[in-house]
Amino acid sequence: MESTETCGVLAFPGEVDLSNGEAILRQAVGLLDSGVPALILDLTGCTFCDSNGLNVITRSQMRATELGVPMWVVLPPRGIVRRISDVAGLPRRVAIAPDVATAREALAIPQH
């Protein structure tokens, strides 16, 4: 977890499931509630993500929207986590970037 003047970044662990989903959600919501101006959920190192991981992303997006905070999800273009996210329709609900640098660049662009 990293928090700077411009955004908070939460790197997901290698696996997200029932055993750790709520703890990750608490971290994401904690960053949002701390007043970060933007949030990036980084799934670059995540190799397994079940419905609990998708729930973390969806609930984080809901809280970010409530607070008016832009949120990006970093999902590599290939891999099982990307396939699961695509099948679940995640790209229709959250902003997706292929890497953290791209997400940071997108956050630097003023929103109209």
Side-chain angles (χ1 to χ4, degrees):
M1 187 166 42
E2 165 196 340
S3 182
T4 68
E5 291 179 6
T6 57
C7 72
V9 179
L10 178 59
F12 276 40
E15 296 186 4
V16 181
D17 56 24
L18 184 61
S19 71
N20 61 359
E22 282 297 318
I24 297 166
L25 178 62
R26 281 193 302 275
Q27 289 180 321
V29 170
L31 277 169
L32 289 164
D33 289 347
S34 76
V36 293
L39 178 63
I40 297 172
L41 300 180
D42 181 7
L43 279 76
T44 303
C46 187
T47 57
F48 175 80
C49 177
D50 67 7
S51 61
N52 290 284
L54 298 175
N55 184 45
V56 169
I57 295 167
T58 301
R59 289 176 60 193
S60 297
Q61 178 64 56
M62 290 169 56
R63 183 66 180 143
T65 299
E66 287 174 5
L67 297 172
V69 174
M71 187 182 100
W72 281 78
V73 176
V74 174
L75 272 175
R78 291 181 177 75
I80 188 70
V81 174
R82 179 58 183 248
R83 285 194 299 270
I84 290 168
S85 299
D86 287 349
V87 167
L90 195 63
R92 292 190 305 268
R93 291 180 293 219
V94 299
I96 304 287
D99 53 56
V100 173
T102 302
R104 285 184 189 272
E105 287 172 22
L107 289 169
I109 298 170
Q111 303 293 319
H112 299 288

